[in-house]
Amino acid sequence: SAVISQKPSRDICQRGTSLTIQCQVDSQVTMMFWYRQQPGQSLTLIATANQGSEATYESGFVIDKFPISRPNLTFSTLTVSNMSPEDSSIYLCSVSFGQGGYEQYFGPGTRLTVT
Amino acid sequence: EDKVVQSPLSLVVHEGDTVTLNCSYEVTNFRSLLWYKQEKKAPTFLFMLTSSGIEKKSGRLSSILDKKELFSILNITATQTGDSAVYLCAVQYGGSQGNLIFGKGTKLSVKP
């Protein structure tokens, strides 16, 4: 497994502003993932953050709205840009380990409220 | 369209009861099925299942996968109030390290 930390733990932001969420892992991992969990919903994958290349976004998510950085094998950031109240969610980063099937572990999450 | 369906969506039991949570899936390029417990924000990893018919156990929790019928169950015996949480089922798919499709979860409430 891994120890994953996220900052900030929570934030309240005004619409139209941007927030950058940081994810730090205590060991090197090839791939990191960013998820969103809207109120009362399950988790939805936003993108896969690959070290040394562009992030891969899922359908419905675009780089202009959710730019991702992955400067090294232990760190990634997700920015939520030009926020609206619909962006109020829990944002989670995760990492995976293993071969064949990959156990995936989640960070503690960032609770974002947009007013 | 790929999907993961959990049932029931919510469940209320009393301490000491045994519960069975269900997860069925229709996912192309299946790699594995994972169970998580979510109490506040972060899902906590419970099990990863890749082979049919092999039960995984951890204390009072156990899980098994049926790849022919495309479902998995999570059993919790002698439930305790600390088991109250949302239990998430996720299916991993795809090429290298894979991505996850989550079900909506089962909210379990264990009353004293």
Side-chain angles (χ1 to χ4, degrees):
Chain A
S1 64
V3 176
I4 307 170
S5 60
Q6 278 186 240
K7 289 195 295 187
S9 172
R10 59 175 59 223
D11 208 340
I12 301 172
C13 302
Q14 291 191 338
R15 71 170 67 215
T17 63
S18 298
L19 176 72
T20 295
I21 302 167
Q22 299 178 8
C23 180
Q24 179 78 50
V25 189
D26 69 343
S27 57
Q28 293 184 341
V29 292
T30 306
M31 293 167 74
M32 297 173 73
F33 304 89
W34 287 97
Y35 288 83
R36 179 176 76 179
Q37 187 174 30
Q38 294 177 299
Q41 302 298 313
S42 194
L43 282 74
T44 302
L45 180 65
I46 297 172
T48 301
N50 308 306
Q51 197 272 331
S53 64
E54 294 284 335
T56 305
Y57 289 82
E58 296 300 303
S59 176
F61 298 96
V62 296
I63 188 171
D64 290 346
K65 175 68 176 178
F66 298 101
I68 287 171
S69 77
R70 182 79 198 276
N72 57 54
L73 291 175
T74 64
F75 186 79
S76 178
T77 67
L78 170 76
T79 299
V80 186
S81 304
N82 188 24
M83 288 183 285
S84 67
E86 293 70 36
D87 294 319
S88 297
S89 296
I90 297 172
Y91 291 86
L92 296 139
C93 69
S94 72
V95 302
S96 64
F97 296 93
Q99 295 180 338
Y102 293 88
E103 296 181 3
Q104 205 166 114
Y105 297 90
F106 285 83
T110 296
R111 187 182 299 274
L112 171 63
T113 302
V114 183
T115 61
Chain B
E1 181 182 343
D2 294 338
K3 60 181 179 181
V4 176
V5 179
Q6 291 186 245
S7 63
L9 291 181
S10 66
L11 189 57
V12 180
V13 301
H14 288 92
E15 275 191 313
D17 289 349
T18 294
V19 298
T20 298
L21 310 182
N22 304 294
C23 177
S24 64
Y25 62 91
E26 292 179 28
V27 176
T28 55
N29 204 8
F30 173 93
R31 292 185 68 88
S32 63
L33 186 144
L34 297 89
W35 284 97
Y36 291 88
K37 178 181 181 182
Q38 187 177 31
E39 293 176 270
K40 291 183 179 177
K41 290 187 296 184
T44 303
F45 175 82
L46 295 175
F47 298 112
M48 184 179 74
L49 304 158
T50 55
S51 301
S52 278
I54 299 174
E55 184 183 55
K56 292 215 172 181
K57 283 182 69 84
S58 176
R60 295 176 294 103
L61 277 65
S62 64
S63 184
I64 197 162
L65 173 68
D66 186 328
K67 291 170 72 174
K68 181 179 178 183
E69 299 297 329
L70 307 183
F71 79 91
S72 173
I73 60 172
L74 175 68
N75 282 318
I76 308 175
T77 60
T79 52
Q80 303 171 356
T81 55
D83 295 327
S84 296
V86 175
Y87 289 84
L88 297 170
C89 170
V91 171
Q92 194 170 61
Y93 66 96
S96 57
Q97 294 193 28
N99 307 319
L100 295 178
I101 297 175
F102 280 83
K104 293 186 181 297
T106 294
K107 183 176 182 180
L108 175 64
S109 299
V110 182
K111 296 190 176 299

